[in-house]
Amino acid sequence: MHEIRAKGILSAQNGMNLYRGCTHGCIYCDSRSTCYRMSHDFEDVEVKVNAPELLERALRAKRRRCMIATGAMSDPYQPAERALKLTRRCLEIVERHGFGIALLTKSDLVLRDLDLLKRIHAKAKCVVQMTLTTCDPALCRIVEPNVCDTGRRVEVLQILRDAGIPTVVWLTPVLPFLNDTPENVRGLMDLCVRAGARGVVTFGEMGLTLRDGDRQHYYRKLDEHFPGLRARYERTFGADYLLPSPQSAELMEIVRTACERQGMLFGADEVFAYLRRFEDPFGGTQIGMFDGPPG
C-alpha cells in the first residue's frame, strides 16, 4: 500500500475511486487490465489520502445535488479501509451536503457504515450494490479468495433491506465452464429474491471479458486451480475480448423471467437509470451520471 495526493476525485460523471488497486484477489478482475495504465502492482494499493478534501471542494462547487458513485474500479471497502476509513470520511461529506450515493462492493465491511447510509438515504438516496457470482462456497473461495463469501453477502443484503436501504445485485461475471450453469444462475436469482434486491445487473451476453493484463492473470489462476481449462478457453475463444457462455441465452432468460416475476429491475439500462436518478424525499428529482461497470 502506498499513498498519493490526487489532483481530483470526481469524474465528469460524478464517479470516484478512493483506492487504486485491490487485495480481494478476484481472479477475473478487469481493473488489472493494462489499458488502465496502473504504474504499480495491483495489490500495492494506491490510497488517495486527500480524497476527502477534494470531495468537499467538488461538492461545494456543484450547483445541484446528484448521485455520487464509487466502486467502479476498486472496492471502497477493501481491507485497507478498515483502518484508513477513507470511504467513511467521504460518506460523511456526501451526507453533510445532501447528495446521494451508489456504491458497489463485495465486502461486509459496508455494514460498519450503516448509520451513515441510513442518514444519506433519509436526505437523498443510497443504493448498495453487491456482486454475486456463485452459489458454490468452494468455487467462491477460489475465484474471490480474500473477501466474504456469497452466503455472507446475502446476509449483508438482507440487513440493508431491513434497514430500508435499497440494494442491487451484479450477476457478473459469468465464467464459462465454471459458474455458467442454469442451476447456479437459478440459485443466485433465488438469493436475489430472498434478499429483496431492487434490481439485477447483467450485460448483454452473460460471460466474461478479458483484456491484456487481466487475461494473463486469469489464465495463470486457471492453470493453478483448474488444470486443462485454459486450453479449453483458448480453443473456444482465442484472443477475443468478450467470452460469452455457450449457455448465455438460456441463462439470460432465467434472469429475465425471475426479474419480471418478482418486479425487479432487469439489465444494465434499467438498473443504471435507477442508480443515476437523484431522489429528494422533500420533492424533486435530478439525473446524476457516474462511471459505468467495473471489471
Side-chain angles (χ1 to χ4, degrees):
M1 185 176 68
H2 65 282
E3 299 180 350
I4 67 157
R5 294 191 63 81
K7 295 181 179 179
I9 196 62
L10 282 187
S11 71
Q13 296 78 32
N14 296 319
M16 62 180 180
N17 286 294
L18 310 177
Y19 301 98
R20 199 156 188 241
C22 188
T23 56
H24 282 336
C26 303
I27 70 172
Y28 51 74
C29 185
D30 177 70
S31 294
R32 291 180 178 274
S33 301
T34 56
C35 64
Y36 299 119
R37 300 178 181 178
M38 198 172 295
S39 59
H40 53 88
D41 290 340
F42 191 69
E43 286 76 14
D44 178 18
V45 177
E46 182 178 276
V47 181
K48 299 177 183 179
V49 292
N50 61 331
E53 62 188 76
L54 291 173
L55 182 61
E56 178 78 35
R57 189 183 312 156
L59 296 191
R60 281 184 178 177
K62 286 191 175 293
R63 299 174 63 182
R64 300 180 66 186
R65 292 180 294 160
C66 62
M67 295 296 291
I68 306 298
T70 188
M73 290 294 294
S74 296
D75 198 310
Y77 287 104
Q78 57 184 285
E81 170 62 19
R82 193 174 300 277
L84 297 176
K85 298 183 179 179
L86 199 59
T87 297
R88 182 172 180 87
R89 290 160 59 198
C90 288
L91 289 177
E92 289 171 342
I93 294 166
V94 169
E95 187 272 334
R96 186 165 63 251
H97 288 278
F99 282 70
I101 190 77
L103 61 87
L104 173 63
T105 185
K106 292 188 181 85
S107 175
D108 56 358
L109 183 56
V110 66
L111 293 179
R112 180 200 64 188
D113 295 336
L114 184 55
D115 59 329
L116 265 174
L117 301 181
K118 290 194 291 186
R119 293 206 301 271
I120 291 171
H121 197 59
K123 291 182 178 181
K125 182 167 78 175
C126 171
V127 186
V128 175
Q129 305 157 79
M130 188 75 71
T131 300
L132 302 181
T133 57
T134 177
C135 293
D136 181 348
L139 181 59
C140 188
R141 286 192 294 271
I142 292 173
V143 301
E144 299 157 343
N146 303 326
V147 68
C148 63
D149 64 14
T150 300
R152 176 56 176 163
R153 290 179 220 171
V154 173
E155 289 178 359
V156 170
L157 292 170
Q158 292 171 322
I159 291 169
L160 291 166
R161 175 203 61 200
D162 293 345
I165 304 297
T167 61
V168 161
V169 168
W170 287 62
L171 211 66
T172 178
V174 172
L175 309 176
F177 320 125
L178 284 174
N179 68 343
D180 63 334
T181 66
E183 293 76 18
N184 182 56
V185 172
R186 287 193 190 96
L188 291 173
M189 289 308 300
D190 287 345
L191 294 176
C192 292
V193 172
R194 188 188 310 171
R198 186 70 57 91
V200 176
V201 174
T202 58
F203 295 96
E205 293 183 283
M206 299 189 75
L208 170 69
T209 59
L210 290 180
R211 291 188 266 209
D212 186 60
D214 177 23
R215 180 186 306 276
Q216 291 86 337
H217 180 80
Y218 183 69
Y219 281 170
R220 282 195 298 271
K221 292 299 180 181
L222 290 188
D223 288 342
E224 179 181 346
H225 297 287
F226 308 100
L229 188 54
R230 172 180 181 163
R232 187 177 181 186
Y233 268 73
E234 292 174 334
R235 287 195 308 270
T236 305
F237 303 110
D240 291 348
Y241 164 65
L242 178 61
L243 285 62
S245 165
Q247 303 185 82
S248 176
E250 179 183 358
L251 302 180
M252 188 66 79
E253 188 57 31
I254 291 170
V255 178
R256 184 192 310 275
T257 300
C259 286
E260 290 177 353
R261 184 184 303 123
Q262 298 297 326
M264 294 187 290
L265 300 172
F266 166 71
D269 290 344
E270 284 192 11
V271 175
F272 285 173
Y274 166 69
L275 294 174
R276 294 182 184 117
R277 189 169 59 249
F278 178 82
E279 299 176 10
D280 185 339
F282 304 105
T285 62
Q286 174 185 343
I287 298 298
M289 299 291 288
F290 50 81
D291 288 342

